[in-house]
Amino acid sequence: MKTRANSNVIPGTLEPLMDIRGITTDKVKAICQQLGVRSWRELVTAVTLEQLEGIPLLTPENRKNIRRALKLDKDADHRMQLWDAILQGKEILQSIRQFPEVKRASFAGSLRRGKDTIGDIDIVVEVAGADRKKLLYKIDRMPLTDRIIAAGKSRICVLLHNQLLVYFYLADQQHYGATLLYYTGSDRYSLSLESLAAQKGYRFEPDGLYDIKNNEYVATENEEEVFRHLLLDYTPPELREDQELATATNPHKMPSLVTFDQVKGDMQIHTDWSDGEESIAHMAHYVFSVFPHYQYIVVTDHASNERTGHVLRPDDISRQAAEIKDINDAIGYDYVKRGVEVDILENGALSLPDELLKTFDWVIASVHSHFTKDNTARLLKACESPYVHCIGHPSGRLIGSRHPYPVDWDQVFAKAAATSTAMEINARPNRLDLNDILVKKAIANGVKLVIDTDAHSLAQFDFMQLGIWVARRAGCCHTDILNTFTWEEIEKFKKSKRNIIA
Ligand code: DGT
Ligand code: CA
Ligand code: ZN
């Protein structure tokens, strides 16, 4: 943090520029004088229009660091998957929580809102003013840190060795709640809160909630207190997106969102009978001990002609059933359910005949081919099968590598609701399929969802939380999610389909 000497020609709002690595007073003066920039907003515009290229005093590294510090260096095509960001973010949180200067620390930004991809990591830290220099010193020496890009009195921007940017927002105890709320965003949501606060006599700022009448900051140690001052119900971070602005101003519409604790089982799992890494027994015993609140798991190996890898062949089915029976006998009840994942072929037919499909407890039908054509008709036909209980990864997207295929979702969701066919929220980090927007549309149509992990190995059962975030962002309550119900209730759901189709 440098001195402000010789900065009299620099407008006060641009002084934080000097907190950026390599940016001297002379360089800021050059920006002001040569580009006529007088405010932060004008600076952002100048950076966005690449006008900084015209200032000879600035090196390419200087320009890059300004872009990074201003959060203008994001690349829409290279956003990180939520799961990777969580693993990385948890490591950072764990490190900084060990520093005695840090009283509290929490994720903010898109990571806290559970968005499917993440541009950068935001963390709000409670630290006393007198300890901030010490904290900066320690962050600089964390093994993960490549270098500090910018360091001001209330914000530190760090580049990690893996090129990821992490922003620490520093708050004192009294204003931690407002700061956390502010930097959790989304941008649009914070703006809506700002204008709502203004109507009620407050200024909602990164530093806290300012009571205009009393001319002082209000103590808001927790987010809940900010909502209370603004006479609003607490809004979970997952709902703080553009489409939920109305919720922020309507305190009586807050749904009770589904939680991980309410999940009673995982309903898509692959074992070594197809392309999974583990035996059924290994997976069952692992989940039984690690997720004690689960009441069932559904083994759903691939029965496929289209897939090139190892699949469950028709003559494997009875042998697999016998193996599952032995495992359940050892556990003492039908903990492992017999499911299957079949292909929806190009003409909408399925990759197993009805006589075999009807022997399973749970049938998932998924598109595994022809990813560019409009697949509405295939999905509609699969819903009409009396033996299909759920459509797997319905949109077919792979985050970062495959776009969803075109589908008329109004038609498909109407059909799914009418035929009691569930839709999957596949929680694999690169799928998250259906996504939050489609799930929202699905539940508005009365469609039931299943959140499952599609686990192919033991560690992948942890993906469930990602699916929960998708559901929460869509506003799902536990009643929207089939696998928050007991197996007896799921049997009733299946029976309703048989009654409709018969
Ligand atoms: P991302 O990182 O692209 O996945 O998306 P977010 O939602 O994490 O957005 P980000 O990282 O740009 O900012 C996080 C929140 O903090 C967002 O609500 C905006 C707010 N924020 C961060 N820096 C500034 C700033 O300099 N000015 C204002 N007004 N808001 C900021
Ligand atoms: Ca962010
Ligand atoms: Zn699949």
Side-chain angles (χ1 to χ4, degrees):
M1 290 175 227
K2 305 178 195 85
T3 64
R4 305 293 189 209
N6 295 324
S7 60
N8 51 336
V9 297
I10 299 171
T13 57
L14 293 184
E15 284 187 359
L17 263 178
M18 288 181 287
D19 297 332
I20 301 172
R21 184 188 187 90
I23 305 301
T24 58
T25 313
D26 285 347
K27 291 179 182 179
V28 182
K29 278 185 192 164
I31 294 172
C32 294
Q33 287 166 352
Q34 293 177 38
L35 299 179
V37 166
R38 303 301 304 158
S39 68
W40 197 258
R41 185 188 296 262
E42 286 173 6
L43 171 70
V44 170
T45 308
V47 176
T48 311
L49 296 176
E50 300 185 357
Q51 291 174 348
L52 264 42
E53 313 276 326
I55 299 180
L57 204 54
L58 293 179
T59 65
E61 180 71 10
N62 289 159
R63 289 197 295 270
K64 180 93 176 159
N65 284 346
I66 292 175
R67 293 180 68 85
R68 285 167 166 156
L70 269 59
K71 291 199 163 218
L72 296 172
D73 199 41
K74 292 191 192 181
D75 180 350
D77 293 334
H78 294 96
R79 293 174 61 82
M80 201 177 195
Q81 288 174 15
L82 177 58
W83 183 251
D84 296 332
I86 285 171
L87 295 183
Q88 180 73 87
K90 279 188 174 167
E91 205 177 332
I92 299 163
L93 268 188
Q94 217 168 20
S95 300
I96 66 162
R97 279 178 177 154
Q98 286 169 6
F99 302 150
E101 295 79 14
V102 172
K103 306 301 172 209
R104 281 185 284 180
S106 164
F107 289 145
S110 51
L111 187 51
R112 182 158 183 248
R113 302 196 310 277
K115 208 171 160 178
D116 49 13
T117 63
I118 303 296
D120 55 38
I121 293 183
D122 302 286
I123 295 179
V124 174
V125 183
E126 183 190 321
V127 51
D131 284 338
R132 290 184 187 185
K133 263 199 171 148
K134 253 190 268 174
L135 177 64
L136 175 63
Y137 179 85
K138 291 185 180 177
I139 288 177
D140 192 21
R141 276 151 189 78
M142 289 194 311
L144 290 165
T145 302
D146 178 359
R147 69 198 107 130
I148 305 278
I149 297 297
K153 70 176 175 25
S154 58
R155 183 194 288 223
I156 300 171
C157 168
V158 176
L159 181 71
L160 304 186
H161 290 297
N162 62 7
Q163 298 304 301
L164 190 68
L165 286 167
V166 183
Y167 297 79
F168 296 99
Y169 306 100
L170 314 181
D172 58 22
Q173 184 188 358
Q174 293 229 309
H175 307 304
Y176 183 85
T179 305
L180 179 59
L181 181 54
Y182 189 92
Y183 287 113
T184 295
S186 65
D187 230 348
R188 288 279 307 278
Y189 182 81
S190 294
L191 279 176
S192 81
L193 275 184
E194 261 172 51
S195 63
L196 192 80
Q199 289 166 27
K200 298 188 177 181
Y202 295 101
R203 276 205 319 267
F204 175 51
E205 300 177 346
D207 295 336
L209 190 66
Y210 189 81
D211 185 334
I212 297 167
K213 199 166 69 201
N214 298 339
N215 220 12
E216 62 186 25
Y217 279 104
V218 184
T220 51
E221 291 191 26
N222 299 296
E223 277 187 331
E224 286 80 355
E225 289 164 45
V226 190
F227 283 103
R228 243 194 332 269
H229 278 288
L230 300 178
L231 305 176
L232 295 171
D233 264 7
Y234 180 79
T235 303
E238 296 90 336
L239 290 183
R240 301 181 200 166
E241 292 291 345
D242 307 351
Q243 72 269 27
E244 291 299 336
L245 296 180
T247 319
T249 54
N250 188 343
H252 303 298
K253 282 234 169 124
M254 201 59 64
S256 177
L257 301 181
V258 63
T259 63
F260 174 65
D261 295 347
Q262 292 171 326
V263 170
K264 290 199 167 57
D266 199 329
M267 296 180 67
Q268 181 169 181
I269 293 169
H270 297 261
T271 73
D272 58 8
W273 283 90
S274 66
D275 55 349
E277 288 175 15
E278 302 283 346
S279 66
I280 301 175
H282 258 148
M283 289 194 122
H285 289 124
Y286 175 81
V287 181
F288 196 80
S289 60
V290 176
F291 299 91
H293 69 290
Y294 284 10
Q295 298 177 1
Y296 47 83
I297 57 171
V298 188
V299 166
T300 56
D301 282 301
H302 287 285
S304 170
N305 318 319
E306 289 181 324
R307 297 180 67 89
T308 48
H310 191 207
V311 296
L312 187 75
R313 294 180 310 271
D315 56 358
D316 290 334
I317 291 172
S318 58
R319 288 187 298 119
Q320 192 199 44
E323 186 174 311
I324 289 174
K325 182 175 181 307
D326 286 347
I327 293 165
N328 283 335
D329 285 348
I331 291 176
Y333 63 99
D334 282 350
Y335 178 70
V336 182
K337 307 295 177 190
R338 290 185 49 239
V340 68
E341 182 180 9
V342 290
D343 303 327
I344 304 173
L345 306 176
E346 193 180 2
N347 63 2
L350 303 168
S351 58
L352 277 185
D354 285 356
E355 308 82 75
L356 288 175
L357 286 180
K358 68 168 73 156
T359 66
F360 286 95
D361 296 321
W362 187 249
V363 175
I364 302 172
S366 312
V367 166
H368 289 127
S369 63
H370 307 281
F371 296 115
T372 50
K373 61 178 259 184
D374 184 314
N375 280 314
T376 308
R378 287 166 95 186
L379 297 183
L380 291 176
K381 188 142 186 234
C383 288
E384 281 165 3
S385 160
Y387 306 110
V388 167
H389 303 118
C390 182
I391 303 294
H393 42 78
S395 84
R397 75 153 172 183
L398 293 178
I399 296 173
S401 62
R402 189 167 76 209
H403 289 296
Y405 36 69
V407 169
D408 180 339
W409 291 109
D410 287 327
Q411 275 197 60
V412 169
F413 291 149
K415 178 67 79 181
T419 57
S420 273
T421 309
M423 290 277 150
E424 184 183 47
I425 300 176
N426 185 305
R428 287 181 79 76
N430 67 336
R431 286 200 184 270
L432 299 180
D433 181 6
L434 298 171
N435 71 13
D436 48 1
I437 294 165
L438 289 174
V439 171
K440 194 169 169 149
K441 201 174 169 74
I443 58 172
N445 277 272
V447 175
K448 293 284 184 214
L449 282 304
V450 171
I451 308 174
D452 56 40
T453 64
D454 200 353
H456 287 61
S457 66
L458 302 182
Q460 294 179 355
F461 287 104
D462 288 345
F463 294 157
M464 186 62 81
Q465 182 60 54
L466 295 179
I468 297 285
W469 268 313
V470 172
R472 288 174 64 87
R473 286 170 61 83
C476 291
C477 306
H478 94 89
T479 47
D480 298 311
I481 309 297
L482 211 51
N483 53 318
T484 63
F485 291 98
T486 62
W487 193 262
E488 290 69 34
E489 287 162 320
I490 290 174
E491 285 293 347
K492 279 188 207 151
F493 175 82
K494 289 163 53 183
K495 191 158 177 247
S496 68
K497 170 156 206 171
R498 281 199 298 276
N499 291 343
I500 292 164
I501 303 276

